[in-house]
Amino acid sequence: MILPITAYGDPVLRAKAAEISPDYPKLKELIDNMYETMYAASGVGLAAPQVGLSIRLFVVDATPMSEDEDLTPTEAKTLKAFKKVFINPTIVEESGKEWDFNEGCLSIPDIREDVSRKSALKITYQDEDFKTHTEVYDGISARIIQHEYDHIEGVLFTDKLSPFKKRILKGKLLNISKGKIKVSYKMRFPNV
Ligand code: NI
């Protein structure tokens, strides 16, 4: 089932999300629905607050990005295989040089900006069966995780822009919260 995606301005996108336990109701169904919702909106990552749930869960599938011609064969292969559910994740360490990558967000349609973040990270999380993993990521995979992880911390990529950029985008962001935007997927706007 495709769920409406929460738009910029909704308080759920600003809350620090809570951990869940294995008895969380209909978890498998929620994960399926989140994938379906993400694919329908052509996204590569979707966090639970973006479907209105303040819980520490996000899904990623970077397969569409693996076809980018600028990628090295190794990067392309990594991204193609990068489909995963992260439950109760904690980024334990970020390392490497900061680099710019052009980010967008399904909750903030039509805005894309370069965001600077560290290149690598170590993350501990649980999978769908609540088995704990600790893994290291870099490049675009790390970038997708950082963006989605921010969502469960109540942070949006626009928060990371310069004061000047923020001022320029202010009106556009307000319009998004009011639903004054054309978007090809189902959304829920807080200020309509
Ligand atoms: Ni996002």
Side-chain angles (χ1 to χ4, degrees), residues 45 50 104-108 147-148 151 156-157:
Q50 293 183 279
C105 180
L106 295 177
S107 295
I108 314 174
H147 178 110
E148 298 312 322
H151 274 300
L156 300 170
F157 83 90

Side-chain angles (χ1 to χ4, degrees), residues 126-192:
Q126 289 164 314
D127 62 22
E128 296 143 276
D129 302 314
F130 280 80
K131 196 170 165 264
T132 302
H133 303 264
T134 300
E135 289 164 0
V136 171
Y137 289 92
D138 63 8
I140 294 170
S141 316
R143 179 59 65 127
I144 296 169
I145 291 173
Q146 286 161 326
H147 178 110
E148 298 312 322
Y149 188 82
D150 269 355
H151 274 300
I152 60 171
E153 292 287 307
V155 175
L156 300 170
F157 83 90
T158 45
D159 300 345
K160 306 200 172 269
L161 304 175
S162 69
F164 175 69
K165 268 273 157 62
K166 280 183 192 159
R167 223 173 311 132
I168 290 178
L169 292 175
K170 210 176 165 185
K172 216 170 168 186
L173 289 170
L174 189 65
N175 280 341
I176 292 172
S177 74
K178 290 176 178 167
K180 289 183 189 166
I181 183 139
K182 262 214 180 108
V183 61
S184 60
Y185 46 88
K186 193 158 70 164
M187 289 194 86
R188 193 183 72 187
F189 301 100
N191 300 330
V192 169

Side-chain angles (χ1 to χ4, degrees), residues 20 29 39 62 79 123 126 144 156 179:
I20 56 167
E29 196 181 314
Y39 293 139
L79 287 179
I123 189 168
Q126 289 164 314
I144 296 169
L156 300 170

Side-chain angles (χ1 to χ4, degrees), residues 34-71:
M34 282 178 66
Y35 270 117
E36 200 183 334
T37 302
M38 181 180 84
Y39 293 139
S42 305
V44 292
L46 187 71
Q50 293 183 279
V51 292
L53 298 168
S54 193
I55 58 172
R56 298 181 78 79
L57 160 66
F58 61 81
V59 300
V60 301
D61 185 351
T63 313
M65 286 179 102
S66 67
E67 274 138 45
D68 193 319
E69 298 161 352
D70 297 334
L71 296 174

